[in-house]
Amino acid sequence: NCISTIDKFTSGNIYVAGRNITNLNGKELNKFRREELGFIFQDFNLLDTLTAYENIALALSIQGVKPDEIDARIREELDIESVLKKYPYEMSGGQKQRVASARAIITEPKLILADEPTGALDSKSSKMLLEKISYLNIKNMATILMVTHDAFTASYASRVIFIKDGRIFNELLREGRNRKEFFDDIMDVVTMLGGELNDAF
């Protein structure tokens, strides 16, 4: 919440891409949120009065993207064509999460903050989302800061920090290993944690 500028803090500084965002205010702060941040919330945070299409399009409209381009970009995101005309109350949890994820990544932000992004998704949708944000990491040099209790999801990262009782317990770097090898290393640390996934990643 502090990195996303939702919450204010009492002391310290936060640097994003070498810039101290604690000094931003007014138009600068709005520009930072609009153009550089993407949010994938655990509880979706969709606007109930807008359809899935309108929820996603809103982020692009604010950036001044032309309607034709908005339409083309939305229809290629995360296999959501079937729910675009639905309102949030008409969607399942997994559908809401796919829409919320599409809204977060469609603007191609430099920093994506993801809170349990695959928690409500089936395995196919989870893989699709993780591959998409991995692609943004490689193509756009976007940073993904993700909280998850799922070792499979964590294995897509290049760096995993384990937290236990509010403190850093361990850290792993992928460093050229394939995803299966990295998953095995993650599970080894989970075992050291006593098999408890709470607050693990």
Side-chain angles (χ1 to χ4, degrees), residues 25-88:
N25 53 48
K27 290 183 179 180
E28 282 186 323
L29 187 57
N30 289 335
K31 187 174 186 293
F32 171 72
R33 289 172 176 161
R34 182 177 66 244
E35 297 181 4
E36 298 187 41
L37 289 184
F39 302 87
I40 304 177
F41 297 99
Q42 190 172 4
D43 55 357
F44 319 127
N45 280 6
L46 298 175
L47 297 174
D48 292 333
T49 57
L50 301 181
T51 64
Y53 184 97
E54 292 165 339
N55 264 283
I56 301 167
L58 183 60
L60 293 173
S61 297
I62 291 171
Q63 289 190 348
V65 178
K66 294 180 180 179
D68 287 349
E69 184 180 345
I70 289 175
D71 190 68
R73 287 169 67 173
I74 287 176
R75 295 184 188 282
E76 66 183 30
E77 287 293 340
L78 300 177
D79 192 25
I80 54 173
E81 185 81 28
S82 63
V83 300
L84 288 178
K85 294 181 180 179
K86 292 184 178 181
Y87 289 91

Side-chain angles (χ1 to χ4, degrees), residues 95-111:
Q95 289 171 335
K96 289 179 185 176
Q97 186 65 304
R98 288 208 304 275
V99 171
S101 300
R103 179 187 60 186
I105 65 182
I106 200 164
T107 58
E108 300 187 340
K110 294 298 182 186
L111 174 60

